[in-house]
Amino acid sequence: SNAYLTPLHSQGFAPHYDDVDVFILQLEGYKRWRVYAPPNKMETLPRESSRDYTEKEVEEDMGCELIMDLMIGPGDVLYLPRGWIHQADTVARPAHMVKVPSSGSGGKGMSGSKDS
C-alpha cells in the first residue's frame, strides 16, 4: 500500500488508469474524484498503467464517459477498477489517503505507480 498527502487545492496526478484494482481509504480531508469508463475494450484490463492524460484528452479526444463525480471524506472507501481513468483534487483542506492494491496483484506496479 502507499500513503499520499495532497496539499489543499491541488491534484496528486493527472488523469490516468492503473494496472491493478485499487481501494482508496480517505483518512482526512476531502477529495473530489472523477472516474471515467475505460477508453476502449483493449484497455479494460491493462497490464501496464497508462501515461498521464490531460482532461481535454479524456473528455473530448478519447470520448471517455464520466461515470462518477463524487466527494469522499474521512473514513470513506472508493474502489477503482483496473483500467478505469481517474483523477482527484483536494477540497476544503489538505487530504491524506492510503492506496491499497487488490489481493493477487502482489504489489506489481505499485512502486512508482500513480495516485490521483
Side-chain angles (χ1 to χ4, degrees):
S1 66
N2 297 342
Y4 299 93
L5 178 62
T6 309
L8 180 60
H9 301 301
S10 65
Q11 181 175 24
F13 290 93
H16 69 279
Y17 61 75
D18 293 308
D19 62 346
V20 293
D21 293 330
V22 173
F23 290 91
I24 301 296
L25 171 58
Q26 189 70 29
L27 300 177
E28 62 182 312
Y30 294 85
K31 277 193 168 183
R32 176 186 177 208
W33 284 85
R34 284 164 285 174
V35 181
Y36 303 85
N40 61 58
K41 290 184 180 186
M42 296 301 293
E43 296 181 79
T44 299
L45 297 174
R47 295 189 179 267
E48 295 180 7
S49 294
S50 73
R51 66 176 174 81
D52 289 344
Y53 299 114
T54 66
E55 218 170 305
K56 180 185 179 297
E57 282 180 296
V58 173
E59 295 177 356
E60 295 175 22
D61 300 344
M62 296 165 51
C64 295
E65 180 184 0
L66 179 64
I67 301 298
M68 285 191 291
D69 187 342
L70 70 150
M71 190 83 61
I72 65 171
D76 291 341
V77 175
L78 176 63
Y79 170 69
L80 298 171
R82 178 171 121 190
W84 288 62
I85 296 174
H86 53 278
Q87 63 179 328
D89 302 285
T90 58
V91 294
R93 61 181 184 218
H96 188 201
M97 56 163 266
V98 174
K99 179 178 179 180
V100 181
S102 64
S103 63
S105 70
K108 178 185 174 300
M110 292 309 292
S111 175
S113 72
K114 304 172 194 125
D115 160 59
S116 295

